[in-house]
Amino acid sequence: MSLDIVSTAGAPAAIGPYSQAVRFGNLLFTSGQIPLGTDGQIVEGGIEEQTHQVFRNLAAVLEAAGALSAGL
């Protein structure tokens, strides 16, 4: 089996020596997410808006990996 690096412009770029996600066989390993917009800036607002951003980022990575249907 080989490692496949997953990357999408729909989530902020990795800020370090890691990938947004890595697929190994039928396993998918995602990196941790913080409340950054695709522009790399922390989302303003409170914890609620920042939490929503984290899940938008994670959904974009999962979709790019083929693990989430579009629109969910």
Side-chain angles (χ1 to χ4, degrees):
M1 280 189 249
S2 65
L3 293 175
D4 296 315
I5 304 301
V6 176
S7 181
T8 178
I15 308 173
Y18 58 90
S19 303
Q20 291 173 328
V22 175
R23 180 188 306 280
F24 181 72
N26 65 349
L27 300 173
L28 181 66
F29 300 91
T30 63
S31 67
Q33 293 292 321
I34 59 176
L36 293 180
T38 55
D39 61 359
Q41 299 298 311
I42 295 280
V43 170
E44 296 297 323
I47 187 69
E48 186 174 342
E49 181 54 36
Q50 291 179 348
T51 301
H52 285 286
Q53 185 63 47
V54 166
F55 282 105
R56 283 190 293 269
N57 293 345
L58 186 55
V61 172
L62 292 175
E63 186 176 338
L68 182 68
S69 297
L72 293 180

